[in-house]
Amino acid sequence: MTLRPILIHPDPRLKTVADPVASITDEIRRLADDMLETMYDAPGIGLAAPQIGQMSRLLVMDATKEDEGAPRPMVLVNPTVTWASEARSVYEEGCLSIPEQFAEVERPAKVEVQWLGLDGKTHAERFEGLWATCVQHEIDHLDGKLFIDYLKPMKRQMITRKMVKLKRERARG
Ligand code: K1U
Ligand code: ZN
């Protein structure tokens, strides 16, 4: 398994719609393993393939809380939201591609998602709480959308400017 560098906003790959995965191959299994390792190392609760520059519709997540017991690493290939609750919830979101910036985002409180598993089978599950927020945030990444796109333009611009500065500083070393 390999740790992959995470792209930082602004980057055109984070604004691009990712391509469906045609079939589960060893390459896809390796990519999923690398993404889980990269997510846990960050640390984060989710990661979408475009965040490491792979333009495929694949995401990993584990939103298990520390006091909830065993971790639950999940790999979702070609995920789609098949149902969303009318009830909405607000969560202070972060993003590994927008380090140290957090903002409240309102989304459906519960969603049903269908996806292809690494076992080649179709899976479906209803998510709620942090899991629902996380899976929607990650599916947005597959559609080239970031959580800051839900914010007012002024706030979005302020965060983007901070990220441009951060990237410049990191490039200088
Ligand atoms: O997609 C990403 O950039 C990962 C992101 C997912 C996410 C966080 C919060 C709300 C929705 C989606 C993160 O994991 S940011 C880091 C984070 O939230 C976290 C890190 C360690 C422990 C707990 C949370
Ligand atoms: Zn993110």
Side-chain angles (χ1 to χ4, degrees):
M1 283 194 279
T2 313
L3 285 180
R4 307 280 198 105
I6 297 173
L7 300 179
I8 303 298
H9 166 72
D11 186 297
R13 288 165 287 184
L14 295 172
K15 302 300 295 172
T16 303
V17 178
D19 302 318
V21 172
S23 61
I24 304 297
T25 59
D26 285 347
E27 193 185 342
I28 290 294
R29 285 194 192 90
R30 264 195 303 273
L31 175 60
D33 276 353
D34 288 355
M35 285 173 58
L36 280 169
E37 192 186 17
T38 304
M39 178 193 79
Y40 284 123
D41 178 76
I45 57 170
L47 188 70
Q51 291 181 277
I52 57 163
Q54 297 294 312
M55 302 313 298
S56 299
R57 299 190 74 82
L58 191 157
L59 67 87
V60 298
M61 63 175 182
D62 184 353
T64 314
K65 299 206 173 98
E66 267 174 34
D67 56 0
E68 272 177 0
R72 189 187 177 208
M74 297 191 74
V75 178
L76 281 64
V77 177
N78 298 338
T80 53
V81 174
T82 54
W83 172 85
S85 65
E86 281 189 18
R88 299 177 70 88
S89 73
V90 176
Y91 194 87
E92 185 159 77
E93 298 193 15
C95 182
L96 298 175
S97 296
I98 311 176
E100 287 162 33
Q101 304 300 317
F102 302 90
E104 288 190 341
V105 177
E106 188 183 299
R107 300 180 185 271
K110 297 179 188 179
V111 285
E112 260 169 29
V113 179
Q114 203 173 82
W115 70 93
L116 187 64
L118 291 182
D119 56 6
K121 293 182 185 152
T122 300
H123 296 250
E125 190 167 324
R126 186 173 287 208
F127 294 100
E128 57 183 74
L130 183 55
W131 285 92
T133 298
C134 187
V135 75
Q136 292 175 79
H137 176 116
E138 301 310 331
I139 292 174
D140 273 355
H141 274 303
L142 305 182
D143 291 327
K145 192 163 183 175
L146 300 172
F147 82 89
I148 56 170
D149 295 329
Y150 293 94
L151 309 181
K152 294 200 174 103
M154 284 279 277
K155 174 105 201 237
R156 185 164 61 240
Q157 279 165 23
M158 193 189 74
I159 292 176
T160 298
R161 281 195 203 109
K162 282 187 185 167
M163 291 301 105
V164 169
K165 191 162 169 260
L166 176 76
K167 284 176 80 168
R168 211 185 294 132
E169 284 163 4
R170 285 190 181 181
R172 282 202 194 112

